[in-house]
Each structure stands twice: as structure tokens, then as C-alpha cells.
Amino acid sequence: LANSSLTADNARAVAARLGTTDDDASFVATAFRCVLGRPPTPAEAAECVRFLATADPGKSREWLVHVLFNHHDFVTIR
């Protein structure tokens, strides 16, 4: 999934759909709920907000969704 164009294209589409808020913390919470079906832990939320603040603003939300598509909770069937 990390190098898949399908994953990258879908991450871009999901980030655009979720990207209606200027608040990074709200975006992170919404992305976790949408992609993983759960809220982020406090540590996950803090790390994701820190990433969004330091990464390329044009792509950071897309990259975050791409990372969530590669998260263990997304690719593992329980």
C-alpha cells in the first residue's frame, strides 16, 4: 500500500473530502474516524498535529491519510 498509486489517489481524494476545516486537530480526528473507524489516541493525535504543522502544507493532509491507509488497524482484519 505504501507505494501504490491507487492508495495515493484515494488518499488525495479522502483528504480533499475531509479538508473542509482549518483546524488540524479536527482534521486528524475526522481522518481517524473515517479511515480507521476510531478516534486517535492522545499520543497519535499529538504526533499527527505536529506532522501537519511541519510538513508541506499542500500535501500534508494527503500524506497523513496515506499513512492511515498503511496503519496496522486499516490493513488487519480482526
Side-chain angles (χ1 to χ4, degrees), residues 14-75:
V14 169
R17 186 169 52 102
L18 299 178
T20 58
T21 179
D22 289 335
D23 179 38
D24 286 341
S26 294
F27 179 84
V28 168
T30 302
F32 264 76
R33 282 189 206 95
C34 178
V35 176
L36 301 180
R38 66 170 179 83
T41 65
E44 289 170 331
E47 185 64 27
C48 290
V49 168
R50 188 179 68 75
F51 166 75
L52 291 175
T54 60
D56 175 3
K59 293 273 191 175
S60 60
R61 290 183 174 196
E62 177 184 327
W63 291 340
L64 177 63
V65 172
H66 195 156
V67 167
L68 293 178
F69 283 159
N70 286 276
H71 193 285
H72 180 74
D73 289 353
F74 183 78
V75 297

